Amino acid sequence: MPRSVNHVASKAKRTRILKLTKGYFGARKNVWTVAKNTYEKGLTYAYRDRRTKKRNFRALWIQRINAAARIEGISYSKLMGALAKAGIEINRKVLADLAMNNPQAFKAIVDKVK
């Protein structure tokens, strides 16, 4: 009995992966084995970096708050401690946005906790 191979499905799978690797450098875009490995590794990076992105943004917000707070004459750690003591529940994302885009509102918050 002849061997049955589903060429339609396997070719479609290869085409789909090669379409996803379009724009990659060299053999990574058109050689099946290299493209497949590159694509799978890219998924690993995507999974990892969805978590790393959260850390990076938090670090960015802290830097922005610290820079704005020092302009107002207070350090980041003292500001955050004073906010907690005053019972002002405002997260770092919003505080950093205020520091960048609305310095008067940020100054008002700092003056309230000083």
Side-chain angles (χ1 to χ4, degrees):
M1 187 171 191
R3 182 165 158 243
S4 175
V5 181
N6 191 351
H7 283 298
V8 175
S10 55
K11 177 140 175 56
K13 181 181 173 186
R14 282 196 298 272
T15 307
R16 190 175 69 243
I17 299 288
L18 289 171
K19 200 176 278 187
L20 289 167
T21 58
K22 185 174 161 237
Y24 285 9
F25 180 81
R28 290 167 171 252
K29 69 175 164 274
N30 56 10
V31 176
W32 164 242
T33 51
V34 181
K36 183 170 66 89
N37 292 338
T38 304
Y39 169 73
E40 287 171 356
K41 192 161 190 174
L43 292 178
T44 307
Y45 285 141
Y47 177 83
R48 181 196 70 188
D49 291 339
R50 279 195 296 275
R51 280 128 194 92
T52 308
K53 183 166 73 169
K54 294 163 182 60
R55 286 178 233 149
N56 290 341
F57 269 103
R58 185 181 169 97
L60 176 67
W61 298 331
I62 289 170
Q63 289 168 7
R64 287 178 174 177
I65 295 166
N66 190 23
R70 286 183 186 277
I71 290 170
E72 302 300 328
I74 188 170
S75 72
Y76 168 80
S77 60
K78 290 211 172 30
L79 173 65
M80 295 312 279
L83 283 170
K85 203 176 284 184
I88 299 172
E89 289 184 12
I90 186 167
N91 65 19
R92 286 165 181 82
K93 182 178 179 178
V94 173
L95 206 55
D97 186 56
L98 286 175
M100 289 291 292
N101 301 321
N102 198 345
Q104 298 86 12
F106 185 80
K107 185 173 174 34
I109 291 170
V110 172
D111 290 341
K112 190 166 187 166
V113 299
K114 270 188 177 176

